[in-house]
Structure formats: structure tokens, C-alpha cells
Amino acid sequence: MNRFVITAALLALGSTAALAQSPAGDPAKGANVFKKCMACHAVGEGAKNKVGPELNGIVDRKMGAVEGFNYSDTLKEHNAKGDVWTAEVLSKYLENPKAYMPGIKMVFAGLPKETDRADLLAYLSGFNADGTKK
């Protein structure tokens, strides 16, 4: 009986950790939301920096870390501190970028709907740093 309880608890903890690491959104819907971002950002194999940096591997990546992109002083400061784009931070940022992080260059007004942000993060979480799908 005790082994069963311990095993069940470990499985539950593992499931909780997995949920905390991946946004609970719909990647297919997130691909549609990403259309709002495509004028400035790219994702996937062969993605290049545009007006904004490419977003491959953005979730859990160090802020201001894309090679060859000229970041705002604000993001350079976050980079120097070692700050990371967690799913939670990205969601707050994407809700209203300029309010969340004054001094950034991004002019996008934001995604006020939590479901849009969750879907977008689920979509972006599906890309490795090299642009390949996970």
C-alpha cells in the first residue's frame, strides 16, 4: 500500500512539473495568433532576425540573447542580470509589453486575452533554439 501511495505521489509531482514547464495552450491556435507577430518576428528552421529577433527557443531562453540583434538598453540590462524568458514572464510581457518592461523597442500593443497568450506560448514552446520542431 505504501509503495502505491509513494508511486502515485511521484507521478503526480512529475505531471505537475511537466505542466509548469509547458504552457497550457493550444499550439495550433497559437500558430494563428503568431500571425500578429510575423511582421517583426520569425520562428522555425531558417528564421532570421527582422525588426525583432527570431523567436526560436524563446521559452526559457536568456533575455536579449539572440546573436546579431541590437536590443534596447533595457533588454541588455536584463541580459546582463541573467534574466530568462520563462512562460510566466513572457505571458506578463505579452499582455502589455511597454507597461511590463518600459524602455523596450517593441511597439506591439500586446495580447490582452490570456488564452491567446497561452496558445502563442504553446506554439513557440514547440521550437528548439535551432528552429526544429520538438
Side-chain angles (χ1 to χ4, degrees):
M1 175 75 170
N2 284 341
R3 262 193 272 173
F4 174 76
V5 171
I6 292 170
T7 302
L10 289 173
L11 287 172
L13 283 173
S15 298
T16 302
L19 286 174
Q21 290 178 349
S22 65
D26 182 334
K29 289 179 182 175
N32 195 44
V33 175
F34 185 72
K35 291 177 183 175
K36 297 177 182 182
C37 312
M38 290 175 62
C40 298
H41 296 281
V43 69
E45 291 186 58
K48 304 276 186 230
N49 293 333
K50 294 175 156 185
V51 173
E54 55 86 359
L55 299 178
N56 290 327
I58 183 78
V59 180
D60 294 326
R61 178 174 75 197
K62 188 175 175 185
M63 291 183 186
V66 172
E67 192 73 30
F69 187 77
N70 185 23
Y71 287 97
S72 65
D73 289 340
T74 300
L75 275 168
K76 289 176 185 175
E77 290 169 13
H78 282 281
N79 177 280
K81 291 190 282 183
D83 292 341
V84 173
W85 287 119
T86 63
E88 181 181 353
V89 168
L90 278 164
S91 182
K92 290 176 185 175
Y93 175 80
L94 290 169
E95 183 175 9
N96 186 336
K98 289 219 180 252
Y100 185 77
M101 197 175 287
I104 60 166
K105 294 179 184 179
M106 190 158 102
V107 296
F108 183 64
L111 296 170
K113 290 184 182 177
E114 187 174 348
T115 54
D116 285 348
R117 294 192 309 273
D119 292 342
L120 177 61
L121 292 172
Y123 173 70
L124 292 174
S125 293
F127 293 92
N128 293 306
D130 65 1
T132 57
K133 290 258 187 171
K134 290 184 178 177

